[in-house]
Amino acid sequence: MKDWYLLYCKRSEQERAVLNLDRQGVECYYPQVTVQKMVRGKRVEAPEPLFPSYIFVFFDPETLSFTTVRSTRGVADFIRQGAKPQRVQQEIVYGLMMNEDSDAHQKQLSSFPKPGETLKLEQGQFKGIEAIYQEADGEKRSFMLINLLGKPVKVSVENKDIVKK
């Protein structure tokens, strides 16, 4: 019986793993999100992995062994619970698939502050301070430029602490 599992891939080799798993008949899901980044001085939109180094795979372990999948080029190992590879609930995977291209997801990404935008920090150690948004710092934090003792200082703050002016 087919189930979803989560694979951990070698660094920056998710695409290689997907290609090789596909050749073996394993269905793969590699969620990506489109982000804006600077490339050679120009702002471009490019896909990036939603979960770097992770791939969801759908296969029947009675037809294709865990060892065969784990030994595929680009794959490091399964995410495990004890000695057994951990099954992933299909509702989670299908939910990710539905949200990946949804308008609400795109709207959420576009509501993020733009670099250079002036914001006010609402919570945390810098509460009440005006800051200039610089860039995202991972999933839940952002780099902000604040004026501290007359000097601009780059700090990392929780996204939930930011309020648009």
Side-chain angles (χ1 to χ4, degrees):
M1 185 171 161
K2 287 186 169 186
D3 280 311
W4 283 100
Y5 296 93
L6 186 59
L7 288 177
Y8 181 72
C9 297
K10 296 174 184 169
R11 185 179 169 163
S12 300
E13 293 200 16
Q14 301 94 303
E15 291 171 6
R16 179 183 203 181
V18 168
L19 180 68
N20 289 311
L21 288 164
D22 216 23
R23 289 179 183 154
Q24 297 175 45
V26 176
E27 185 179 335
C28 300
Y29 176 55
Y30 173 49
Q32 295 183 332
V33 64
T34 303
V35 295
Q36 290 186 2
K37 45 165 79 170
M38 296 295 284
V39 177
R40 295 186 193 112
K42 294 183 180 179
R43 184 172 302 281
V44 295
E45 289 188 356
E48 279 194 358
L50 187 59
F51 306 112
S53 299
Y54 292 93
I55 297 173
F56 294 95
V57 291
F58 188 65
F59 72 101
D60 183 359
E62 292 179 12
T63 307
L64 188 65
S65 73
F66 288 117
T67 305
T68 303
V69 173
R70 188 187 53 136
S71 301
T72 302
R73 285 183 162 228
V75 175
D77 203 355
F78 283 92
I79 299 302
R80 300 177 179 274
Q81 181 174 4
K84 292 184 174 183
Q86 176 65 45
R87 286 188 179 108
V88 178
Q89 295 176 5
Q90 66 181 4
E91 293 83 19
I92 293 172
V93 178
Y94 295 143
L96 285 168
M97 287 176 176
M98 287 175 43
N99 285 328
E100 187 173 15
D101 294 324
S102 74
D103 292 336
H105 185 252
Q106 294 302 323
K107 185 178 179 182
Q108 181 183 11
L109 290 174
S110 66
S111 70
F112 226 69
K114 306 288 183 260
E117 190 173 336
T118 303
L119 308 165
K120 188 169 187 173
L121 301 175
E122 165 177 276
Q123 297 176 6
Q125 63 192 22
F126 300 108
K127 181 179 180 179
I129 294 178
E130 285 189 5
I132 300 171
Y133 181 81
Q134 294 291 295
E135 62 184 332
D137 177 23
E139 219 173 275
K140 296 183 179 180
R141 300 184 66 81
S142 295
F143 282 119
M144 308 293 284
L145 196 60
I146 63 170
N147 202 355
L148 203 60
L149 299 173
K151 280 180 96 174
V153 178
K154 189 175 184 178
V155 295
S156 182
V157 298
E158 295 281 331
N159 287 342
K160 64 180 174 76
D161 298 344
I162 301 169
V163 174
K164 288 190 177 186
K165 272 183 89 177

mmCIF file with all atom_site columns, all heavy atoms in Angstrom, residues 89-112:
data_model
loop_
_atom_site.group_PDB
_atom_site.id
_atom_site.type_symbol
_atom_site.label_atom_id
_atom_site.label_alt_id
_atom_site.label_comp_id
_atom_site.label_asym_id
_atom_site.label_entity_id
_atom_site.label_seq_id
_atom_site.pdbx_PDB_ins_code
_atom_site.Cartn_x
_atom_site.Cartn_y
_atom_site.Cartn_z
_atom_site.occupancy
_atom_site.B_iso_or_equiv
_atom_site.pdbx_formal_charge
_atom_site.auth_seq_id
_atom_site.auth_comp_id
_atom_site.auth_asym_id
_atom_site.auth_atom_id
_atom_site.pdbx_PDB_model_num
ATOM 1   N N   . GLN A 1 89  ? 1.038  12.059 6.985  1.00 0.00 ? 89  GLN A N   1
ATOM 2   C CA  . GLN A 1 89  ? -0.388 12.009 6.674  1.00 0.00 ? 89  GLN A CA  1
ATOM 3   C C   . GLN A 1 89  ? -0.625 12.660 5.319  1.00 0.00 ? 89  GLN A C   1
ATOM 4   O O   . GLN A 1 89  ? -0.116 13.749 5.052  1.00 0.00 ? 89  GLN A O   1
ATOM 5   C CB  . GLN A 1 89  ? -1.198 12.737 7.740  1.00 0.00 ? 89  GLN A CB  1
ATOM 6   C CG  . GLN A 1 89  ? -1.144 12.093 9.088  1.00 0.00 ? 89  GLN A CG  1
ATOM 7   C CD  . GLN A 1 89  ? -1.892 12.909 10.125 1.00 0.00 ? 89  GLN A CD  1
ATOM 8   O OE1 . GLN A 1 89  ? -2.533 13.904 9.817  1.00 0.00 ? 89  GLN A OE1 1
ATOM 9   N NE2 . GLN A 1 89  ? -1.790 12.490 11.368 1.00 0.00 ? 89  GLN A NE2 1
ATOM 10  N N   . GLN A 1 90  ? -1.422 11.995 4.490  1.00 0.00 ? 90  GLN A N   1
ATOM 11  C CA  . GLN A 1 90  ? -1.647 12.516 3.142  1.00 0.00 ? 90  GLN A CA  1
ATOM 12  C C   . GLN A 1 90  ? -2.365 13.858 3.167  1.00 0.00 ? 90  GLN A C   1
ATOM 13  O O   . GLN A 1 90  ? -2.178 14.674 2.268  1.00 0.00 ? 90  GLN A O   1
ATOM 14  C CB  . GLN A 1 90  ? -2.375 11.508 2.279  1.00 0.00 ? 90  GLN A CB  1
ATOM 15  C CG  . GLN A 1 90  ? -3.777 11.169 2.672  1.00 0.00 ? 90  GLN A CG  1
ATOM 16  C CD  . GLN A 1 90  ? -4.377 10.129 1.739  1.00 0.00 ? 90  GLN A CD  1
ATOM 17  O OE1 . GLN A 1 90  ? -3.714 9.612  0.844  1.00 0.00 ? 90  GLN A OE1 1
ATOM 18  N NE2 . GLN A 1 90  ? -5.625 9.825  1.963  1.00 0.00 ? 90  GLN A NE2 1
ATOM 19  N N   . GLU A 1 91  ? -3.158 14.150 4.208  1.00 0.00 ? 91  GLU A N   1
ATOM 20  C CA  . GLU A 1 91  ? -3.839 15.441 4.305  1.00 0.00 ? 91  GLU A CA  1
ATOM 21  C C   . GLU A 1 91  ? -2.827 16.589 4.381  1.00 0.00 ? 91  GLU A C   1
ATOM 22  O O   . GLU A 1 91  ? -3.052 17.661 3.840  1.00 0.00 ? 91  GLU A O   1
ATOM 23  C CB  . GLU A 1 91  ? -4.757 15.495 5.533  1.00 0.00 ? 91  GLU A CB  1
ATOM 24  C CG  . GLU A 1 91  ? -5.940 14.563 5.472  1.00 0.00 ? 91  GLU A CG  1
ATOM 25  C CD  . GLU A 1 91  ? -5.608 13.125 5.892  1.00 0.00 ? 91  GLU A CD  1
ATOM 26  O OE1 . GLU A 1 91  ? -4.580 12.889 6.561  1.00 0.00 ? 91  GLU A OE1 1
ATOM 27  O OE2 . GLU A 1 91  ? -6.373 12.231 5.508  1.00 0.00 ? 91  GLU A OE2 1
ATOM 28  N N   . ILE A 1 92  ? -1.712 16.339 5.057  1.00 0.00 ? 92  ILE A N   1
ATOM 29  C CA  . ILE A 1 92  ? -0.666 17.367 5.183  1.00 0.00 ? 92  ILE A CA  1
ATOM 30  C C   . ILE A 1 92  ? -0.064 17.655 3.809  1.00 0.00 ? 92  ILE A C   1
ATOM 31  O O   . ILE A 1 92  ? 0.079  18.810 3.406  1.00 0.00 ? 92  ILE A O   1
ATOM 32  C CB  . ILE A 1 92  ? 0.426  16.922 6.178  1.00 0.00 ? 92  ILE A CB  1
ATOM 33  C CG1 . ILE A 1 92  ? -0.160 16.857 7.589  1.00 0.00 ? 92  ILE A CG1 1
ATOM 34  C CG2 . ILE A 1 92  ? 1.632  17.857 6.127  1.00 0.00 ? 92  ILE A CG2 1
ATOM 35  C CD1 . ILE A 1 92  ? 0.755  16.257 8.627  1.00 0.00 ? 92  ILE A CD1 1
ATOM 36  N N   . VAL A 1 93  ? 0.285  16.601 3.087  1.00 0.00 ? 93  VAL A N   1
ATOM 37  C CA  . VAL A 1 93  ? 0.909  16.771 1.772  1.00 0.00 ? 93  VAL A CA  1
ATOM 38  C C   . VAL A 1 93  ? -0.067 17.429 0.805  1.00 0.00 ? 93  VAL A C   1
ATOM 39  O O   . VAL A 1 93  ? 0.291  18.376 0.099  1.00 0.00 ? 93  VAL A O   1
ATOM 40  C CB  . VAL A 1 93  ? 1.413  15.417 1.221  1.00 0.00 ? 93  VAL A CB  1
ATOM 41  C CG1 . VAL A 1 93  ? 2.011  15.596 -0.166 1.00 0.00 ? 93  VAL A CG1 1
ATOM 42  C CG2 . VAL A 1 93  ? 2.434  14.805 2.169  1.00 0.00 ? 93  VAL A CG2 1
ATOM 43  N N   . TYR A 1 94  ? -1.315 16.954 0.770  1.00 0.00 ? 94  TYR A N   1
ATOM 44  C CA  . TYR A 1 94  ? -2.298 17.525 -0.148 1.00 0.00 ? 94  TYR A CA  1
ATOM 45  C C   . TYR A 1 94  ? -2.623 18.968 0.227  1.00 0.00 ? 94  TYR A C   1
ATOM 46  O O   . TYR A 1 94  ? -2.863 19.802 -0.643 1.00 0.00 ? 94  TYR A O   1
ATOM 47  C CB  . TYR A 1 94  ? -3.558 16.665 -0.213 1.00 0.00 ? 94  TYR A CB  1
ATOM 48  C CG  . TYR A 1 94  ? -3.297 15.288 -0.794 1.00 0.00 ? 94  TYR A CG  1
ATOM 49  C CD1 . TYR A 1 94  ? -3.948 14.174 -0.307 1.00 0.00 ? 94  TYR A CD1 1
ATOM 50  C CD2 . TYR A 1 94  ? -2.380 15.106 -1.823 1.00 0.00 ? 94  TYR A CD2 1
ATOM 51  C CE1 . TYR A 1 94  ? -3.701 12.914 -0.838 1.00 0.00 ? 94  TYR A CE1 1
ATOM 52  C CE2 . TYR A 1 94  ? -2.132 13.852 -2.348 1.00 0.00 ? 94  TYR A CE2 1
ATOM 53  C CZ  . TYR A 1 94  ? -2.791 12.760 -1.853 1.00 0.00 ? 94  TYR A CZ  1
ATOM 54  O OH  . TYR A 1 94  ? -2.526 11.517 -2.381 1.00 0.00 ? 94  TYR A OH  1
ATOM 55  N N   . GLY A 1 95  ? -2.621 19.269 1.508  1.00 0.00 ? 95  GLY A N   1
ATOM 56  C CA  . GLY A 1 95  ? -2.822 20.654 1.955  1.00 0.00 ? 95  GLY A CA  1
ATOM 57  C C   . GLY A 1 95  ? -1.713 21.566 1.456  1.00 0.00 ? 95  GLY A C   1
ATOM 58  O O   . GLY A 1 95  ? -1.955 22.684 1.005  1.00 0.00 ? 95  GLY A O   1
ATOM 59  N N   . LEU A 1 96  ? -0.470 21.078 1.522  1.00 0.00 ? 96  LEU A N   1
ATOM 60  C CA  . LEU A 1 96  ? 0.662  21.844 0.995  1.00 0.00 ? 96  LEU A CA  1
ATOM 61  C C   . LEU A 1 96  ? 0.522  22.053 -0.509 1.00 0.00 ? 96  LEU A C   1
ATOM 62  O O   . LEU A 1 96  ? 0.779  23.139 -1.019 1.00 0.00 ? 96  LEU A O   1
ATOM 63  C CB  . LEU A 1 96  ? 1.983  21.134 1.286  1.00 0.00 ? 96  LEU A CB  1
ATOM 64  C CG  . LEU A 1 96  ? 2.498  21.195 2.709  1.00 0.00 ? 96  LEU A CG  1
ATOM 65  C CD1 . LEU A 1 96  ? 3.646  20.225 2.916  1.00 0.00 ? 96  LEU A CD1 1
ATOM 66  C CD2 . LEU A 1 96  ? 2.935  22.608 3.045  1.00 0.00 ? 96  LEU A CD2 1
ATOM 67  N N   . MET A 1 97  ? 0.097  21.000 -1.213 1.00 0.00 ? 97  MET A N   1
ATOM 68  C CA  . MET A 1 97  ? -0.069 21.102 -2.664 1.00 0.00 ? 97  MET A CA  1
ATOM 69  C C   . MET A 1 97  ? -1.128 22.142 -3.023 1.00 0.00 ? 97  MET A C   1
ATOM 70  O O   . MET A 1 97  ? -0.950 22.919 -3.952 1.00 0.00 ? 97  MET A O   1
ATOM 71  C CB  . MET A 1 97  ? -0.474 19.746 -3.246 1.00 0.00 ? 97  MET A CB  1
ATOM 72  C CG  . MET A 1 97  ? 0.617  18.732 -3.279 1.00 0.00 ? 97  MET A CG  1
ATOM 73  S SD  . MET A 1 97  ? -0.034 17.165 -3.887 1.00 0.00 ? 97  MET A SD  1
ATOM 74  C CE  . MET A 1 97  ? 1.440  16.175 -3.958 1.00 0.00 ? 97  MET A CE  1
ATOM 75  N N   . MET A 1 98  ? -2.215 22.157 -2.274 1.00 0.00 ? 98  MET A N   1
ATOM 76  C CA  . MET A 1 98  ? -3.291 23.111 -2.559 1.00 0.00 ? 98  MET A CA  1
ATOM 77  C C   . MET A 1 98  ? -2.866 24.544 -2.250 1.00 0.00 ? 98  MET A C   1
ATOM 78  O O   . MET A 1 98  ? -3.216 25.469 -2.973 1.00 0.00 ? 98  MET A O   1
ATOM 79  C CB  . MET A 1 98  ? -4.544 22.748 -1.758 1.00 0.00 ? 98  MET A CB  1
ATOM 80  C CG  . MET A 1 98  ? -5.241 21.513 -2.297 1.00 0.00 ? 98  MET A CG  1
ATOM 81  S SD  . MET A 1 98  ? -6.643 20.950 -1.319 1.00 0.00 ? 98  MET A SD  1
ATOM 82  C CE  . MET A 1 98  ? -7.495 22.427 -0.910 1.00 0.00 ? 98  MET A CE  1
ATOM 83  N N   . ASN A 1 99  ? -2.115 24.737 -1.172 1.00 0.00 ? 99  ASN A N   1
ATOM 84  C CA  . ASN A 1 99  ? -1.713 26.083 -0.774 1.00 0.00 ? 99  ASN A CA  1
ATOM 85  C C   . ASN A 1 99  ? -0.564 26.641 -1.590 1.00 0.00 ? 99  ASN A C   1
ATOM 86  O O   . ASN A 1 99  ? -0.373 27.851 -1.638 1.00 0.00 ? 99  ASN A O   1
ATOM 87  C CB  . ASN A 1 99  ? -1.328 26.112 0.705  1.00 0.00 ? 99  ASN A CB  1
ATOM 88  C CG  . ASN A 1 99  ? -2.521 26.061 1.605  1.00 0.00 ? 99  ASN A CG  1
ATOM 89  O OD1 . ASN A 1 99  ? -3.578 26.574 1.264  1.00 0.00 ? 99  ASN A OD1 1
ATOM 90  N ND2 . ASN A 1 99  ? -2.368 25.427 2.746  1.00 0.00 ? 99  ASN A ND2 1
ATOM 91  N N   . GLU A 1 100 ? 0.196  25.772 -2.219 1.00 0.00 ? 100 GLU A N   1
ATOM 92  C CA  . GLU A 1 100 ? 1.386  26.216 -2.953 1.00 0.00 ? 100 GLU A CA  1
ATOM 93  C C   . GLU A 1 100 ? 1.040  27.228 -4.040 1.00 0.00 ? 100 GLU A C   1
ATOM 94  O O   . GLU A 1 100 ? 1.740  28.215 -4.224 1.00 0.00 ? 100 GLU A O   1
ATOM 95  C CB  . GLU A 1 100 ? 2.110  25.019 -3.557 1.00 0.00 ? 100 GLU A CB  1
ATOM 96  C CG  . GLU A 1 100 ? 3.431  25.392 -4.182 1.00 0.00 ? 100 GLU A CG  1
ATOM 97  C CD  . GLU A 1 100 ? 4.218  24.176 -4.634 1.00 0.00 ? 100 GLU A CD  1
ATOM 98  O OE1 . GLU A 1 100 ? 3.649  23.075 -4.737 1.00 0.00 ? 100 GLU A OE1 1
ATOM 99  O OE2 . GLU A 1 100 ? 5.411  24.343 -4.886 1.00 0.00 ? 100 GLU A OE2 1
ATOM 100 N N   . ASP A 1 101 ? -0.039 27.000 -4.756 1.00 0.00 ? 101 ASP A N   1
ATOM 101 C CA  . ASP A 1 101 ? -0.386 27.884 -5.860 1.00 0.00 ? 101 ASP A CA  1
ATOM 102 C C   . ASP A 1 101 ? -1.606 28.744 -5.581 1.00 0.00 ? 101 ASP A C   1
ATOM 103 O O   . ASP A 1 101 ? -2.097 29.423 -6.477 1.00 0.00 ? 101 ASP A O   1
ATOM 104 C CB  . ASP A 1 101 ? -0.652 27.049 -7.121 1.00 0.00 ? 101 ASP A CB  1
ATOM 105 C CG  . ASP A 1 101 ? 0.605  26.355 -7.593 1.00 0.00 ? 101 ASP A CG  1
ATOM 106 O OD1 . ASP A 1 101 ? 1.680  26.964 -7.468 1.00 0.00 ? 101 ASP A OD1 1
ATOM 107 O OD2 . ASP A 1 101 ? 0.515  25.212 -8.054 1.00 0.00 ? 101 ASP A OD2 1
ATOM 108 N N   . SER A 1 102 ? -2.103 28.732 -4.355 1.00 0.00 ? 102 SER A N   1
ATOM 109 C CA  . SER A 1 102 ? -3.334 29.459 -4.060 1.00 0.00 ? 102 SER A CA  1
ATOM 110 C C   . SER A 1 102 ? -3.126 30.971 -4.070 1.00 0.00 ? 102 SER A C   1
ATOM 111 O O   . SER A 1 102 ? -2.040 31.475 -3.801 1.00 0.00 ? 102 SER A O   1
ATOM 112 C CB  . SER A 1 102 ? -3.895 29.033 -2.698 1.00 0.00 ? 102 SER A CB  1
ATOM 113 O OG  . SER A 1 102 ? -3.110 29.582 -1.662 1.00 0.00 ? 102 SER A OG  1
ATOM 114 N N   . ASP A 1 103 ? -4.189 31.698 -4.380 1.00 0.00 ? 103 ASP A N   1
ATOM 115 C CA  . ASP A 1 103 ? -4.147 33.158 -4.377 1.00 0.00 ? 103 ASP A CA  1
ATOM 116 C C   . ASP A 1 103 ? -3.879 33.688 -2.985 1.00 0.00 ? 103 ASP A C   1
ATOM 117 O O   . ASP A 1 103 ? -3.183 34.691 -2.811 1.00 0.00 ? 103 ASP A O   1
ATOM 118 C CB  . ASP A 1 103 ? -5.471 33.733 -4.900 1.00 0.00 ? 103 ASP A CB  1
ATOM 119 C CG  . ASP A 1 103 ? -5.663 33.452 -6.383 1.00 0.00 ? 103 ASP A CG  1
ATOM 120 O OD1 . ASP A 1 103 ? -4.643 33.250 -7.082 1.00 0.00 ? 103 ASP A OD1 1
ATOM 121 O OD2 . ASP A 1 103 ? -6.820 33.437 -6.838 1.00 0.00 ? 103 ASP A OD2 1
ATOM 122 N N   . ALA A 1 104 ? -4.441 33.025 -1.967 1.00 0.00 ? 104 ALA A N   1
ATOM 123 C CA  . ALA A 1 104 ? -4.243 33.475 -0.585 1.00 0.00 ? 104 ALA A CA  1
ATOM 124 C C   . ALA A 1 104 ? -2.763 33.397 -0.205 1.00 0.00 ? 104 ALA A C   1
ATOM 125 O O   . ALA A 1 104 ? -2.231 34.289 0.456  1.00 0.00 ? 104 ALA A O   1
ATOM 126 C CB  . ALA A 1 104 ? -5.072 32.625 0.369  1.00 0.00 ? 104 ALA A CB  1
ATOM 127 N N   . HIS A 1 105 ? -2.104 32.323 -0.649 1.00 0.00 ? 105 HIS A N   1
ATOM 128 C CA  . HIS A 1 105 ? -0.682 32.162 -0.358 1.00 0.00 ? 105 HIS A CA  1
ATOM 129 C C   . HIS A 1 105 ? 0.130  33.263 -1.045 1.00 0.00 ? 105 HIS A C   1
ATOM 130 O O   . HIS A 1 105 ? 1.020  33.859 -0.453 1.00 0.00 ? 105 HIS A O   1
ATOM 131 C CB  . HIS A 1 105 ? -0.227 30.773 -0.820 1.00 0.00 ? 105 HIS A CB  1
ATOM 132 C CG  . HIS A 1 105 ? 1.187  30.461 -0.457 1.00 0.00 ? 105 HIS A CG  1
ATOM 133 N ND1 . HIS A 1 105 ? 2.183  30.422 -1.380 1.00 0.00 ? 105 HIS A ND1 1
ATOM 134 C CD2 . HIS A 1 105 ? 1.771  30.206 0.739  1.00 0.00 ? 105 HIS A CD2 1
ATOM 135 C CE1 . HIS A 1 105 ? 3.323  30.141 -0.787 1.00 0.00 ? 105 HIS A CE1 1
ATOM 136 N NE2 . HIS A 1 105 ? 3.096  30.003 0.489  1.00 0.00 ? 105 HIS A NE2 1
ATOM 137 N N   . GLN A 1 106 ? -0.185 33.538 -2.307 1.00 0.00 ? 106 GLN A N   1
ATOM 138 C CA  . GLN A 1 106 ? 0.513  34.589 -3.037 1.00 0.00 ? 106 GLN A CA  1
ATOM 139 C C   . GLN A 1 106 ? 0.250  35.954 -2.400 1.00 0.00 ? 106 GLN A C   1
ATOM 140 O O   . GLN A 1 106 ? 1.138  36.797 -2.313 1.00 0.00 ? 106 GLN A O   1
ATOM 141 C CB  . GLN A 1 106 ? 0.095  34.595 -4.513 1.00 0.00 ? 106 GLN A CB  1
ATOM 142 C CG  . GLN A 1 106 ? 0.519  33.359 -5.278 1.00 0.00 ? 106 GLN A CG  1
ATOM 143 C CD  . GLN A 1 106 ? 2.016  33.125 -5.254 1.00 0.00 ? 106 GLN A CD  1
ATOM 144 O OE1 . GLN A 1 106 ? 2.814  34.055 -5.309 1.00 0.00 ? 106 GLN A OE1 1
ATOM 145 N NE2 . GLN A 1 106 ? 2.412  31.879 -5.142 1.00 0.00 ? 106 GLN A NE2 1
ATOM 146 N N   . LYS A 1 107 ? -0.987 36.181 -1.936 1.00 0.00 ? 107 LYS A N   1
ATOM 147 C CA  . LYS A 1 107 ? -1.341 37.446 -1.284 1.00 0.00 ? 107 LYS A CA  1
ATOM 148 C C   . LYS A 1 107 ? -0.555 37.609 0.008  1.00 0.00 ? 107 LYS A C   1
ATOM 149 O O   . LYS A 1 107 ? -0.071 38.690 0.328  1.00 0.00 ? 107 LYS A O   1
ATOM 150 C CB  . LYS A 1 107 ? -2.840 37.494 -1.004 1.00 0.00 ? 107 LYS A CB  1
ATOM 151 C CG  . LYS A 1 107 ? -3.302 38.805 -0.444 1.00 0.00 ? 107 LYS A CG  1
ATOM 152 C CD  . LYS A 1 107 ? -4.799 38.821 -0.235 1.00 0.00 ? 107 LYS A CD  1
ATOM 153 C CE  . LYS A 1 107 ? -5.236 40.152 0.353  1.00 0.00 ? 107 LYS A CE  1
ATOM 154 N NZ  . LYS A 1 107 ? -6.664 40.185 0.613  1.00 0.00 ? 107 LYS A NZ  1
ATOM 155 N N   . GLN A 1 108 ? -0.419 36.501 0.765  1.00 0.00 ? 108 GLN A N   1
ATOM 156 C CA  . GLN A 1 108 ? 0.329  36.543 2.015  1.00 0.00 ? 108 GLN A CA  1
ATOM 157 C C   . GLN A 1 108 ? 1.787  36.924 1.745  1.00 0.00 ? 108 GLN A C   1
ATOM 158 O O   . GLN A 1 108 ? 2.368  37.730 2.454  1.00 0.00 ? 108 GLN A O   1
ATOM 159 C CB  . GLN A 1 108 ? 0.254  35.190 2.706  1.00 0.00 ? 108 GLN A CB  1
ATOM 160 C CG  . GLN A 1 108 ? 0.980  35.142 4.032  1.00 0.00 ? 108 GLN A CG  1
ATOM 161 C CD  . GLN A 1 108 ? 0.942  33.751 4.643  1.00 0.00 ? 108 GLN A CD  1
ATOM 162 O OE1 . GLN A 1 108 ? 0.549  32.777 3.997  1.00 0.00 ? 108 GLN A OE1 1
ATOM 163 N NE2 . GLN A 1 108 ? 1.347  33.655 5.879  1.00 0.00 ? 108 GLN A NE2 1
ATOM 164 N N   . LEU A 1 109 ? 2.372  36.358 0.695  1.00 0.00 ? 109 LEU A N   1
ATOM 165 C CA  . LEU A 1 109 ? 3.758  36.676 0.358  1.00 0.00 ? 109 LEU A CA  1
ATOM 166 C C   . LEU A 1 109 ? 3.906  38.127 -0.102 1.00 0.00 ? 109 LEU A C   1
ATOM 167 O O   . LEU A 1 109 ? 4.877  38.793 0.214  1.00 0.00 ? 109 LEU A O   1
ATOM 168 C CB  . LEU A 1 109 ? 4.266  35.737 -0.735 1.00 0.00 ? 109 LEU A CB  1
ATOM 169 C CG  . LEU A 1 109 ? 4.475  34.291 -0.324 1.00 0.00 ? 109 LEU A CG  1
ATOM 170 C CD1 . LEU A 1 109 ? 4.825  33.448 -1.533 1.00 0.00 ? 109 LEU A CD1 1
ATOM 171 C CD2 . LEU A 1 109 ? 5.532  34.173 0.745  1.00 0.00 ? 109 LEU A CD2 1
ATOM 172 N N   . SER A 1 110 ? 2.912  38.632 -0.869 1.00 0.00 ? 110 SER A N   1
ATOM 173 C CA  . SER A 1 110 ? 3.007  39.996 -1.375 1.00 0.00 ? 110 SER A CA  1
ATOM 174 C C   . SER A 1 110 ? 2.726  41.037 -0.300 1.00 0.00 ? 110 SER A C   1
ATOM 175 O O   . SER A 1 110 ? 3.056  42.203 -0.467 1.00 0.00 ? 110 SER A O   1
ATOM 176 C CB  . SER A 1 110 ? 2.066  40.196 -2.562 1.00 0.00 ? 110 SER A CB  1
ATOM 177 O OG  . SER A 1 110 ? 0.727  40.088 -2.139 1.00 0.00 ? 110 SER A OG  1
ATOM 178 N N   . SER A 1 111 ? 2.102  40.629 0.820  1.00 0.00 ? 111 SER A N   1
ATOM 179 C CA  . SER A 1 111 ? 1.831  41.576 1.898  1.00 0.00 ? 111 SER A CA  1
ATOM 180 C C   . SER A 1 111 ? 3.065  41.835 2.759  1.00 0.00 ? 111 SER A C   1
ATOM 181 O O   . SER A 1 111 ? 3.049  42.683 3.638  1.00 0.00 ? 111 SER A O   1
ATOM 182 C CB  . SER A 1 111 ? 0.683  41.070 2.783  1.00 0.00 ? 111 SER A CB  1
ATOM 183 O OG  . SER A 1 111 ? 1.113  39.948 3.537  1.00 0.00 ? 111 SER A OG  1
ATOM 184 N N   . PHE A 1 112 ? 4.113  41.098 2.506  1.00 0.00 ? 112 PHE A N   1
ATOM 185 C CA  . PHE A 1 112 ? 5.360  41.286 3.240  1.00 0.00 ? 112 PHE A CA  1
ATOM 186 C C   . PHE A 1 112 ? 5.934  42.661 2.922  1.00 0.00 ? 112 PHE A C   1
ATOM 187 O O   . PHE A 1 112 ? 5.795  43.148 1.799  1.00 0.00 ? 112 PHE A O   1
ATOM 188 C CB  . PHE A 1 112 ? 6.351  40.197 2.816  1.00 0.00 ? 112 PHE A CB  1
ATOM 189 C CG  . PHE A 1 112 ? 7.040  39.565 3.972  1.00 0.00 ? 112 PHE A CG  1
ATOM 190 C CD1 . PHE A 1 112 ? 6.353  38.762 4.850  1.00 0.00 ? 112 PHE A CD1 1
ATOM 191 C CD2 . PHE A 1 112 ? 8.371  39.792 4.183  1.00 0.00 ? 112 PHE A CD2 1
ATOM 192 C CE1 . PHE A 1 112 ? 6.993  38.175 5.913  1.00 0.00 ? 112 PHE A CE1 1
ATOM 193 C CE2 . PHE A 1 112 ? 9.032  39.223 5.242  1.00 0.00 ? 112 PHE A CE2 1
ATOM 194 C CZ  . PHE A 1 112 ? 8.338  38.401 6.114  1.00 0.00 ? 112 PHE A CZ  1
#
